[in-house]
Amino acid sequence: MTEDPDGGPETRIELIHLLRRVTVEFGLRQAEFAARNGMHPTDVRALICLLDAERAGTDATAGLLGARLGLHSAGTTAVVDRLVRLGHVTRTRDPRDGRRVLLAVDERAVELGRAFFGPFIGAADTALRGLDARETDAVRRFLTAAHEAMRLAPEPDTHSGGDGRGGA
């Protein structure tokens, strides 16, 4: 029998469970950050979305934010209003199209996040420094594929009345 070059199904499941542990822990840390700073966890996700848009060079609007967070217009407005009131986000008119309002994360919010999440980011950076280029590329490919799988996965059928697996 030939050995499975990727370590087999047990190794793959182990990696998926490790990824889940990281995401659960990160979600807990996000909730703690939100609570400490008078925010809702959705507000933290909104800040992350806005920072990601900025890094990608994408204009951040309420429409983009709502689409990325899966919120309707009223929910998006409530999130943006809270973040503006807390001084974490600014609204400005788009200089190219005065009808559009652009959202930006205030530098004070960036510093607040850096102070809280900085130790984790530093530890993760240290772990990545221990990888060679091939290993780093493998991690990137896996995380990109896992994100894409999660993003494209159909929503679970929670109204089937079955056993929660979509069956009867």
Side-chain angles (χ1 to χ4, degrees):
M1 179 176 219
T2 332
E3 186 176 317
D4 196 343
D6 65 4
E10 295 84 15
T11 299
R12 291 190 300 272
I13 290 297
E14 176 190 10
L15 292 173
I16 292 166
H17 288 176
L18 284 169
L19 177 60
R20 183 182 62 198
R21 283 176 47 197
V22 170
T23 59
V24 167
E25 185 66 31
F26 192 67
L28 293 170
R29 297 290 175 97
Q30 283 180 303
E32 182 183 342
F33 176 79
R36 283 186 183 188
N37 293 287
M39 291 187 274
H40 186 277
T42 302
D43 299 342
V44 179
R45 289 192 296 277
L47 289 171
I48 291 168
C49 286
L50 294 173
L51 290 168
D52 287 347
E54 181 181 318
R55 274 189 289 280
T58 302
D59 288 342
T61 62
L64 176 114
L65 185 61
R68 290 196 179 165
L69 293 175
L71 296 175
H72 296 291
S73 179
T76 304
T77 299
V79 169
V80 172
D81 286 347
R82 265 194 316 270
L83 291 172
V84 168
R85 193 171 47 253
L86 289 167
H88 298 318
V89 168
T90 58
R91 289 181 176 115
T92 58
R93 288 269 172 218
D94 183 340
R96 297 175 310 266
D97 180 351
R99 297 168 296 177
R100 286 189 346 150
V101 174
L102 301 177
L103 305 172
V105 178
D106 187 89
E107 186 57 34
R108 292 172 296 186
V110 171
E111 289 302 320
L112 197 63
R114 192 173 288 131
F116 186 86
F117 293 105
F120 162 74
I121 293 168
D125 181 61
T126 299
L128 287 168
R129 287 179 193 208
L131 303 179
D132 65 28
R134 283 185 53 222
E135 292 169 319
T136 301
D137 188 52
V139 171
R140 181 183 298 108
R141 286 193 326 269
F142 170 68
L143 291 174
T144 299
H147 175 254
E148 196 67 6
M150 184 65 80
R151 194 178 68 76
L152 296 176
E155 292 201 22
D157 180 6
T158 58
H159 302 289
S160 66
D163 61 6
R165 293 179 289 186

